Amino acid sequence: MVRQLLIRGVHLLEAPGRPSRRADVLLEEGVLVAIDPDAAALSGPACASADGSGCWFGPALVDPHSVLEEPLQGRAETLASLGEAAAAGGYGTVALLPWAPTWRDRSERLGWRWPDPLQLLLWGSFSVDGLDRELAPHADQLAAGACGLAAGATLPPLDLLERGLRLAEMGDRPVLLPPRDGSLAQRGVVRERVEALRAGWPLDPPGSETLPLETLLILAGDLPGVQLRLMNISTAEAVARLRRQARPPMASVCWWHLVADSGGLDPADDGWLLEPALGGPADRGALIQALADGVIGAVAVHHVALDAEEELLPLDQRRPGVAGHGLVLALLWEELVGRQGWRAEQLWQALCWGSARFLGRPEPGLAPGTRRWLLFDPDHHWRWADSPPGSLAANRPCRDRQLKGRVIATGLSDPSGWVLAADRPN
């Protein structure tokens, strides 16, 4: 039986601020035992080896906000299936929004956990039942372990918002707020751009984001002690406004807004219906540049699962959202590293270290004893439809596409499921 595995010559991403380097890593039953081990650490007959040339070994990724509605009996997703999907995609930490039929707005509804080494964080709710009529018990939720407070899909009314922020029961915990006004969105499917006008799609004007953003920036200036977080920035106009702010709050962007836009997505593809709405090529370019410059600090999966029945409904009757923890690293590597010329360290900053800071958590690093690592092969070809399912969600984009780049091993999952060819030990 193989107990130890030496992966030779990987590109190592140890911690934020450190350049990548070539190294050998020694694993034992999924645990990182040593980096560049000496001969004494190798236990002879029980140690196999694998060639890691071209692969990247780094800390597991962090998802700052996603949605899971029914953790136990969900038809579209369950706590177990989401954990499998997250681990397969290299995500060691996922923070769930309180959005659910039974809104998670009180301490007794914040007890969900994953087994180690996966880490499940729960956002508490800003308002009772997410209805934006009265404040939820902020202090009670935080005392029960909530990682912060989050609003629903649209910005709460100003009077409720300001009252909750000035009470300051959240202390130094983050408060996640969407710069979105649903009444201005006009049920639009995509942003009001030339490409969308030509296609005849129902349009969502950029003002549905920029006007509530102005409110949030004013509040951030008035209440500098509150750790405001902006959820899912999606337009070039919002990026321009953040650039003019001296010290803007930390902001996130949904990963799908970085790889798809209304000018390049095929009308038959999944991924058209999002909240906030999908933008045009200029929006996507502005978001990518803002992420590179640090104006946007974190990339969220913002996983919203639909079951097979709901996925068959017409767009105007379907809930918005895409699923895809297993796709994020592959498609963003292809877009940002392959096409935009990013360094791997920049991508990990967006998907791991920046997302941890967004949540107010320590930035992950690699150290002996951890299982929270992943091995990514940028040249591995695969099809999502042929891989183990993990997620139950039906709204997974790129299901039939040939993909390049995959997490081939991770300490988050059973080694029997790794896609890694190892030499047999002598």
Side-chain angles (χ1 to χ4, degrees):
M1 176 180 176
V2 175
R3 292 182 55 83
Q4 289 187 324
L5 175 64
L6 178 69
I7 307 179
R8 307 182 306 273
V10 299
H11 297 282
L12 190 71
L13 295 162
E14 278 183 278
R18 294 192 194 177
S20 63
R21 63 183 179 91
R22 296 295 290 273
D24 299 338
V25 293
L26 180 64
L27 308 173
E28 184 168 334
E29 297 182 345
V31 177
L32 175 62
V33 175
I35 297 170
D36 285 328
D38 55 31
L42 307 178
S43 58
C47 184
S49 65
D51 182 11
S53 300
C55 297
W56 292 80
F57 192 95
L61 308 180
V62 177
D63 176 13
H65 48 85
S66 276
V67 178
L68 178 63
E69 296 187 334
E70 299 181 36
L72 297 182
Q73 304 296 328
R75 295 172 54 190
E77 199 73 278
T78 65
L79 195 64
S81 67
L82 181 62
E84 289 181 29
Y91 277 89
T93 300
V94 176
L96 293 181
L97 294 166
W99 308 359
T102 303
W103 201 265
R104 293 188 285 268
D105 59 357
R106 57 194 75 170
S107 57
E108 61 268 25
R109 296 175 180 174
L110 298 172
W112 302 110
R113 294 292 182 268
W114 273 332
D116 289 335
L118 289 172
Q119 182 180 45
L120 185 71
L121 303 177
L122 298 172
W123 287 95
S125 178
F126 194 80
S127 69
V128 173
D129 293 326
L131 297 177
D132 293 337
R133 295 172 182 165
E134 57 181 305
L135 295 174
H138 294 173
D140 290 349
Q141 294 177 89
L142 296 170
C147 64
L149 302 172
T154 60
L155 192 66
L158 181 57
D159 57 342
L160 184 74
L161 181 59
E162 190 166 7
R163 178 158 33 104
L165 296 179
R166 290 190 182 279
L167 283 173
E169 292 186 357
M170 73 291 297
D172 62 355
R173 304 285 184 88
V175 180
L176 182 62
L177 299 168
R180 176 171 171 77
D181 187 326
S183 65
L184 297 176
Q186 302 172 3
R187 299 182 62 84
V189 173
V190 291
R191 288 293 175 191
E192 192 176 90
R193 306 300 185 209
V194 172
E195 299 80 14
L197 286 167
R198 289 171 179 163
W201 292 101
L203 302 178
D204 182 347
S208 67
E209 178 167 278
T210 55
L211 291 177
L213 177 61
E214 291 291 345
T215 298
L216 288 172
L217 293 179
I218 292 170
L219 285 172
D222 290 345
L223 302 168
V226 177
Q227 299 298 312
L228 286 186
R229 301 291 189 266
L230 307 178
M231 181 168 66
N232 288 341
I233 295 295
S234 65
T235 64
E237 290 88 346
V239 167
R241 181 62 187 86
L242 289 176
R243 288 187 183 280
R244 295 195 299 270
Q245 189 80 0
R247 297 182 63 183
M250 286 192 70
S252 69
V253 59
C254 174
W255 73 282
W256 190 242
H257 282 273
L258 300 171
V259 299
D261 59 63
S262 60
L265 198 62
D266 188 285
D269 288 345
D270 289 319
W272 276 103
L273 193 59
L274 294 182
E275 193 173 70
L278 196 66
D283 293 301
R284 188 162 72 91
L287 293 169
I288 290 172
Q289 190 59 54
L291 190 62
D293 297 340
V295 176
I296 292 176
V299 173
V301 182
H302 201 72
H303 175 95
V304 178
L306 306 184
D307 62 34
E309 183 177 345
E310 188 170 5
E311 175 69 0
L312 295 175
L313 294 174
L315 278 179
D316 60 351
Q317 299 176 36
R318 194 189 314 167
R319 286 180 303 148
V322 295
H325 283 91
L327 280 178
V328 176
L329 183 53
L331 293 188
L332 286 184
W333 185 282
E334 180 182 59
E335 175 61 37
L336 301 181
V337 177
R339 297 194 183 102
Q340 305 289 334
W342 282 32
R343 292 175 291 107
E345 295 93 326
Q346 290 177 278
L347 186 55
W348 248 259
Q349 178 62 40
L351 293 175
C352 176
W353 300 315
S355 293
R357 286 186 57 232
F358 189 91
L359 290 167
R361 315 290 290 192
E363 296 170 313
L366 294 176
T370 185
R371 294 179 60 100
R372 300 170 65 77
W373 57 265
L374 67 85
L375 182 68
F376 178 72
D377 183 355
D379 296 319
H380 186 96
H381 291 269
W382 63 296
R383 291 169 61 89
W384 202 5
D386 300 332
S387 64
S391 174
L392 303 176
N395 57 328
R396 294 182 291 166
C398 305
R399 281 171 292 182
D400 300 319
R401 174 183 159 186
Q402 182 78 15
L403 301 169
K404 183 180 179 183
R406 185 178 186 182
V407 175
I408 60 172
T410 173
L412 305 169
S413 60
D414 192 319
S416 64
W418 295 355
V419 188
L420 179 65
D423 302 327
R424 297 178 65 86
N426 297 324

